Amino acid sequence: MGWGDLGVFGEPSKETPNLDQMAAEGMLFLDFYTASPLCSPSRAALLTGRLPVRNGFYTTNAHARNAYTPQDIVGGIPDSELLLPELLKKAGYINKIIGKWHLGQRPRFHPLRHGFHQWLGSPNCHFGPYDNRERPNIPLFRDWHMLGRYYEDFQIDLKTGESNLTQLYLQEALDFISKQQASQQPFFLYWAIDATHAPVYASKQFLGTSQRGLYGDAVREIDDSVGRILKHLKQLGISENTFVFFTSDNGAALISAPRQGGSNGPFLCGKQTTFEGGMREPAIAWWPGHIPAGGVSHQLGSVMDLFSTSLSLAGLQPPSDRQIDGIDLLPVMLQGKLIDRPIFYYRGNELMAVRAGLYKAHYWTWSNSWEEQSKGIDFCPGQSVSGVTTHTQEEHTKLPLLFHLGRDPGEKYPLSFASEEYQQAMEHISALVQQHKATLVPGEPQLNVCDQAVMNWSPPGCEKLGKCLKAPESDPKKCSWPH
């Protein structure tokens, strides 16, 4: 979902009344970022509080490539990483994930091995349908066992876009919250729905209701669901005891536009790029009675901050034996403070850009290759900034391209290298980069090796359903990452 998809961020059709109300009752973050321009690494960062280059969610197969966890990926979240639910478990929390996990396919990477007590959802996105010979349809799990597969037991109509998955995930969330409230049990719910990821879907009552087409229908259903969850917390009398945060894992996928792609507002490009459209996210914090209503913050925030902030709320300290990139946002939300910190924009193994204050310096630029562009794969449709949205990887480490995001949120006008403003800003940013690189210990890359044999041919529970499939011989290969 993109920064420009919510009414409160200026989306003209104003079709997100519940999220807009959530912002009116809570705090809107205008400068909030994900840790990667695509899904798996940003989710790994959210749950570990660490940059993907530290937690292993990157590739070294080629320079500055976006990599994720497709069905045939061999790697996943390493046992050495400490996830938020693992730490909350120690403080007596019951932890549930609903929806997309995306941190590895194999049994050793299962969410219940990494701190979650319960799961309803899938190890991957709802891609397919597949033929179950070359590639199996993706399973949906309840806890340790599969319930069925997408397109077989859980329908997604690719012609109409109809699917009941968001309603299934919503009901699961409401039931979980009710149960924990009844047993007076502190809980952590990670509600990771994926309706706005192409192929986009919505349930029947929302189809055809948006001015924005099918993508808008999916956004409306998510908005309605968030409204119902917040209303449920109020009705149970636990809203003042529950911190809720809404955000996205990457910017809108403009490659899917216009029918299946969202809006990144005034920002450049979208998913897969380290321009603002790829990594700046809609973000709303809600905690009635604690976070003052109607707040708007210019704090530079990151999904990794949800790790540190959640631990702080639970009265826990972040682990001291590793570098944590997230910061505790409670002073920002409760006292209106601003904490000075940089934002690092990584693409795979490369630091592409850095933001400090209102300045953003690009050390590398690249949207995608000419070869991919010629096939119609375009991450910046209708947007071309000479020397910025480049189709070859351009290095600017000696003279970074510098933008003032206050005056130029669309990254169209690089500052003059000769200006005093450029010199002063770069002096500050260069020192931050030097310090960052000096202390950076990259994790072992998890997204280098693919093998068809590791796909979900016969997940636990397949025997009962008669859905076990024969796996091919193991044949590990280097994964190819074109972007």
Side-chain angles (χ1 to χ4, degrees):
M1 188 180 278
W3 192 93
D5 277 329
L6 307 188
V8 72
F9 283 107
E11 202 290 311
S13 62
K14 295 276 189 280
E15 291 177 349
T16 54
N18 296 289
L19 285 162
D20 298 350
Q21 182 64 25
M22 182 185 180
E25 293 174 8
M27 178 173 275
L28 197 62
F29 283 84
L30 299 180
D31 298 79
F32 195 86
Y33 291 88
T34 185
S36 168
L38 83 168
C39 37
S40 301
S42 60
R43 288 163 191 267
L46 185 155
L47 290 174
T48 62
R50 285 154 56 80
L51 284 163
V53 73
R54 295 193 213 273
N55 64 37
F57 262 65
Y58 70 107
T59 184
T60 52
N61 285 358
H63 178 248
R65 290 306 203 275
N66 288 319
Y68 65 107
T69 53
Q71 283 203 70
D72 55 352
I73 199 79
V74 169
I77 196 70
D79 288 341
S80 57
E81 290 298 319
L82 282 171
L83 274 63
L84 178 59
E86 290 177 77
L87 298 165
L88 291 176
K89 204 181 219 179
K90 292 175 183 170
Y93 279 73
I94 296 293
N95 309 309
K96 179 157 189 152
I97 170 174
I98 297 174
K100 177 171 151 180
W101 168 237
H102 230 201
L103 299 191
Q105 306 289 329
R106 294 156 68 204
R108 63 182 287 194
F109 305 123
H110 192 288
L112 271 59
R113 286 196 199 279
H114 292 273
F116 285 102
H117 295 92
Q118 299 173 28
W119 182 27
L120 176 72
S122 171
N124 208 314
C125 219
H126 53 281
F127 299 123
Y130 298 113
D131 62 7
N132 284 342
R133 289 185 302 276
E134 293 292 312
R135 195 166 282 264
N137 277 321
I138 293 161
L140 202 85
F141 283 82
R142 179 175 291 286
D143 301 334
W144 290 107
H145 296 105
M146 73 180 279
L147 292 175
R149 296 182 187 270
Y150 285 139
Y151 299 96
E152 295 172 28
D153 313 279
F154 297 92
Q155 281 303 319
I156 302 163
D157 189 320
L158 292 180
K159 281 185 185 156
T160 63
E162 184 181 346
S163 176
N164 211 35
L165 281 168
T166 303
Q167 292 304 307
L168 181 75
Y169 292 152
L170 169 62
Q171 196 54 53
E172 190 78 10
L174 299 175
D175 292 348
F176 173 72
I177 293 166
S178 294
K179 196 173 176 187
Q180 303 322 308
Q181 190 270 340
S183 58
Q184 298 292 291
Q185 183 74 48
F187 66 88
F188 166 53
L189 171 61
Y190 175 35
W191 197 63
I193 40 58
D194 65 356
T196 47
H197 189 301
V200 171
Y201 63 80
S203 57
K204 194 167 190 174
Q205 69 260 41
F206 289 94
L207 285 180
T209 64
S210 166
Q211 294 180 49
R212 305 179 67 200
L214 180 58
Y215 180 87
D217 297 342
V219 171
R220 288 201 66 230
E221 185 166 16
I222 290 171
D223 175 77
D224 181 77
S225 302
V226 171
R228 287 183 59 188
I229 290 169
L230 299 184
K231 185 180 176 187
H232 193 57
L233 292 170
K234 287 176 180 174
Q235 285 172 340
L236 292 174
I238 56 172
S239 61
E240 294 200 2
N241 219 14
T242 311
F243 172 73
V244 185
F245 201 94
F246 176 88
T247 190
S248 171
D249 61 351
N250 48 248
L254 300 184
I255 186 176
S256 310
R259 190 166 181 266
Q260 307 235 342
S263 164
N264 295 315
F267 303 122
L268 186 61
C269 301
K271 179 179 176 174
Q272 303 266 9
T273 77
T274 49
F275 301 114
E276 291 297 286
M279 290 183 62
R280 203 189 295 204
E281 305 305 328
I284 304 167
W286 185 88
W287 188 16
H290 300 272
I291 295 172
V296 177
S297 179
H298 284 284
Q299 171 65 44
L300 297 192
S302 163
V303 291
M304 296 180 288
D305 302 342
L306 299 177
F307 177 88
S308 304
T309 307
S310 300
L311 291 178
S312 179
L313 283 162
L316 300 170
Q317 291 295 319
S320 57
D321 64 342
R322 62 199 64 207
Q323 178 71 44
I324 300 296
D325 296 292
I327 63 171
D328 179 3
L329 292 175
L330 286 185
V332 175
M333 296 184 289
L334 304 182
Q335 295 146 33
K337 291 193 173 169
L338 283 176
I339 300 164
D340 189 24
R341 64 90 74 91
I343 294 291
F344 297 108
Y345 302 69
Y346 270 88
R347 183 162 171 164
N349 61 343
E350 186 59 77
L351 178 63
M352 303 288 284
V354 178
R355 178 173 176 185
L358 287 166
Y359 292 99
K360 180 179 178 182
H362 288 270
Y363 287 81
W364 287 84
T365 52
W366 190 41
S367 55
N368 62 328
S369 67
W370 282 116
E371 185 189 359
E372 296 286 300
Q373 187 78 7
S374 67
K375 292 178 191 165
I377 295 168
D378 190 351
F379 300 143
C380 312
Q383 295 178 307
S384 175
V385 181
S386 179
V388 178
T389 54
T390 52
H391 293 294
T392 52
Q393 293 185 359
E394 298 291 335
E395 186 173 1
H396 308 280
T397 49
K398 287 192 172 65
L399 268 182
L401 299 181
L402 185 69
F403 296 90
H404 186 289
L405 294 178
R407 300 193 297 261
D408 177 24
E411 298 169 278
K412 292 183 174 70
Y413 310 108
L415 271 66
S416 162
F417 299 135
S419 68
E420 195 179 325
E421 185 182 9
Y422 180 92
Q423 307 294 334
Q424 284 179 353
M426 279 316 305
E427 200 176 321
H428 176 50
I429 293 173
S430 298
L432 292 171
V433 170
Q434 213 171 341
Q435 187 186 0
H436 172 68
K437 290 197 166 176
T439 56
L440 180 67
V441 181
E444 187 182 336
Q446 294 294 309
L447 308 181
N448 280 354
V449 182
C450 289
D451 184 352
Q452 285 203 304
V454 307
M455 295 199 284
N456 284 288
W457 299 101
S458 297
C462 68
E463 306 89 345
K464 215 183 233 181
L465 301 169
K467 289 204 167 272
C468 301
L469 301 168
K470 188 171 165 25
E473 290 290 309
S474 179
D475 182 21
K477 290 184 169 75
K478 263 188 166 188
C479 309
S480 170
W481 304 110
H483 313 307

